[in-house]
Amino acid sequence: MPVTLRHATERIRTAGKEGRGAVISGLQTKSSEVSQLVNAVKSTPSLKVLKFIECFSEEDQCIAIFKAASQLPQLQKLSLNACFVTDRVAVLMAATLKDSKAFPKLQFLSLYGNAIGDAGAVALAKAIAGRFVLTELNVGENCIGERGGAALALMLETNITMTSMYTFGKWRDVTPH
């Protein structure tokens, strides 16, 4: 049974107060309701894990949540799995990831099961290349082709802290250079 907006915001706030993680699955919101979810995320600075699974049906909803999460100083793991992350969204995410103040402790980013293609993968790879806190990336089950895959492989040469990456249906342990 899908979670309601009220339950999702309560779950996020409770997890934030307790300094733990929140998992939201199957939330379907209208564009006008996303601001409530964004406010719940912003009001939980001690949140360490935030996972959304099959939650958004519009690009702008996903972007708003990602930007709100980027301001959480304790966030270590973020998942936006099957959440309408397209190339456009991934490019905007990459711009946020380039900001040194965004996601100061983010170690794990999962964008599994979305619609990220080469343009999004290239943008993410360039942004992540300099993120030396991030150790794991999951971009499996997307639409990434050769150009995006090559950019991710090149990113691994410069990101010395990345220890594993999931692409093309497999986890790859990465030996930092």
Side-chain angles (χ1 to χ4, degrees):
M1 183 164 112
V3 67
T4 66
L5 178 63
R6 184 173 68 81
H7 287 120
T9 56
E10 287 174 9
R11 192 176 293 168
I12 291 168
R13 287 189 174 114
T14 300
K17 287 177 186 172
E18 297 173 0
R20 57 181 178 83
V23 177
I24 311 298
S25 181
L27 175 67
Q28 297 302 312
T29 59
K30 298 174 186 166
S31 292
S32 60
E33 298 172 329
V34 171
S35 62
Q36 294 174 50
L37 201 56
V38 166
N39 289 337
V41 170
K42 286 182 176 180
S43 70
T44 57
S46 60
L47 196 64
K48 293 182 179 176
V49 177
L50 185 57
K51 294 182 179 183
F52 287 97
I53 304 163
E54 296 179 354
C55 287
F56 307 112
S57 59
E58 297 177 19
E59 291 177 328
D60 291 340
Q61 295 172 335
C62 191
I63 292 165
I65 292 299
F66 188 81
K67 287 186 177 183
S70 75
Q71 299 171 22
L72 298 176
Q74 300 300 317
L75 192 66
Q76 297 170 6
K77 295 182 179 186
L78 176 62
S79 297
L80 292 166
N81 297 340
C83 285
F84 213 77
V85 179
T86 61
D87 268 340
R88 176 180 168 265
V89 174
V91 168
L92 292 169
M93 288 177 165
T96 301
L97 285 165
K98 286 181 182 179
D99 179 355
S100 61
K101 294 178 184 172
F103 297 112
K105 293 188 177 184
L106 189 67
Q107 298 170 0
F108 175 86
L109 177 61
S110 180
L111 302 171
Y112 179 87
N114 285 291
I116 300 170
D118 283 338
V122 168
L124 287 169
K126 288 179 181 177
I128 292 170
R131 295 290 308 201
F132 297 122
V133 176
L134 194 67
T135 59
E136 294 180 71
L137 175 65
N138 182 348
V139 288
E141 298 300 322
N142 277 282
C143 305
I144 300 169
E146 287 183 33
R147 192 169 62 91
L152 289 166
L154 184 61
M155 174 270 301
L156 293 174
E157 292 180 18
T158 58
N159 187 311
I160 59 172
T161 59
M162 186 70 64
T163 59
S164 60
M165 183 169 63
Y166 185 83
T167 56
F168 311 110
K170 297 186 200 177
W171 274 106
R172 288 174 173 69
D173 286 329
V174 178
T175 304
H177 296 96

